[in-house]
C-alpha cells in the first residue's frame, strides 16, 4: 500500500500529531466527513470519549460550586457545626412518571469532626443547573447517594 493512498491515510498513524482548533471540530461538514469514515466501533469509541470528557467537566464544575457554596454556608453560620465540611452527599429525587435525578435541595454535609452532619439546600446555586446535566451523563437509581469528597474531588456512590 502506498503511504499517501486513501486507504493508507485512513489506517496508518499520522507521522505528526494532528491539531484541530475548536472551529474545525465544530464545523458540521468537516465533522460529518471525519465521522463518515469511522467504523461502527470507532464511532462508538468517539461517543464514549465525548461522554467521559463531558462527565469530567460536569464533575469539575460541580466540585467547584460545592466548595464555594459550602464555604459560604459555613461563613454565614448556615450549618449545624462550625467544623470544616469534608464530604457532601447528594441524594436523588423522584417525581411521578420521571426517572430519579440528582437534587440540589436535600444535600447532607459531613463535617471534619466525624460526628456532625448538616442538611443543606443548594437549590439557589449553580448546582440547580449542573445536577440535571450530571443526571443525563450518570443516571442514578432511586435512593442513590452521590458522595463528593471536597478534599480530594472524588465522586462515589
Amino acid at each position: 500500500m502506498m503511504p499517501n493512498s486513501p486507504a493508507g491515510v485512513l489506517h496508518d498513524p499520522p507521522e505528526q500529531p494532528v491539531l484541530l482548533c475548536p472551529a474545525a471540530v465544530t464545523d458540521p461538514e468537516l465533522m460529518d466527513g471525519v465521522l463518515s469514515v469511522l467504523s461502527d466501533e470507532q464511532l462508538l469509541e468517539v461517543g464514549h470519549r465525548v461522554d467521559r470528557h463531558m462527565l469530567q467537566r460536569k464533575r469539575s464544575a460541580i466540585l467547584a460550586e460545592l466548595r464555594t457554596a459550602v464555604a459560604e454556608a459555613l461563613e454565614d453560620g448556615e450549618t449545624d457545626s462550625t467544623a470544616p465540611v469534608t464530604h457532601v452527599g447528594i441524594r436523588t429525587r423522584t417525581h411521578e412518571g420521571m426517572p430519579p435525578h440528582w437534587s440540589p435541595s436535600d444535600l447532607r454535609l459531613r463535617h471534619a469532626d466525624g460526628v456532625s452532619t448538616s442538611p443543606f439546600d443548594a437549590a439557589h446555586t449553580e448546582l440547580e443547573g449542573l445536577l440535571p446535566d450530571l443526571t443525563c451523563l450518570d443516571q442514578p437509581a432511586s435512593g442513590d447517594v452521590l458522595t463528593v469528597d471536597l478534599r480530594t474531588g472524588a465522586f462515589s456512590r
Side-chain angles (χ1 to χ4, degrees):
M1 179 175 351
M2 296 182 63
N4 292 326
S5 71
V9 170
L10 295 178
H11 300 289
D12 293 340
E15 293 177 16
Q16 295 179 344
V18 177
L19 301 175
L20 296 174
C21 65
V25 296
T26 57
D27 179 278
E29 288 180 29
L30 177 62
M31 284 308 299
D32 286 345
V34 169
L35 296 175
S36 69
V37 299
L38 298 178
S39 69
D40 290 347
E41 293 81 18
Q42 291 168 325
L43 198 54
L44 282 171
E45 181 55 33
V46 168
H48 291 302
R49 283 178 182 266
V50 169
D51 286 347
R52 286 191 301 269
H53 280 272
M54 287 300 299
L55 180 60
Q56 185 55 46
R57 284 185 182 185
K58 289 301 170 193
R59 285 181 173 175
S60 294
I62 289 167
L63 178 62
E65 183 61 21
L66 280 172
R67 286 175 172 161
T68 300
V70 167
E72 289 173 0
L74 278 169
E75 187 176 298
D76 295 343
E78 297 176 15
T79 61
D80 295 341
S81 170
T82 58
V85 174
T86 59
H87 295 81
V88 177
I90 303 171
R91 300 167 190 263
T92 58
R93 291 190 71 189
T94 306
H95 299 285
E96 189 174 330
M98 296 186 67
H101 62 278
W102 300 115
S103 173
S105 62
D106 186 24
L107 304 183
R108 182 65 55 185
L109 308 180
R110 188 174 352 142
H111 295 271
D113 61 15
V115 178
S116 304
T117 61
S118 300
F120 183 60
D121 183 355
H124 60 284
T125 69
E126 296 293 320
L127 292 170
E128 194 167 35
L130 293 168
L131 290 177
D133 292 343
L134 181 65
T135 297
C136 293
L137 296 165
D138 183 15
Q139 180 65 51
S142 184
D144 277 356
V145 176
L146 179 64
T147 301
V148 181
D149 186 326
L150 297 182
R151 297 167 299 179
T152 66
F155 282 62
S156 62
R157 287 197 204 183

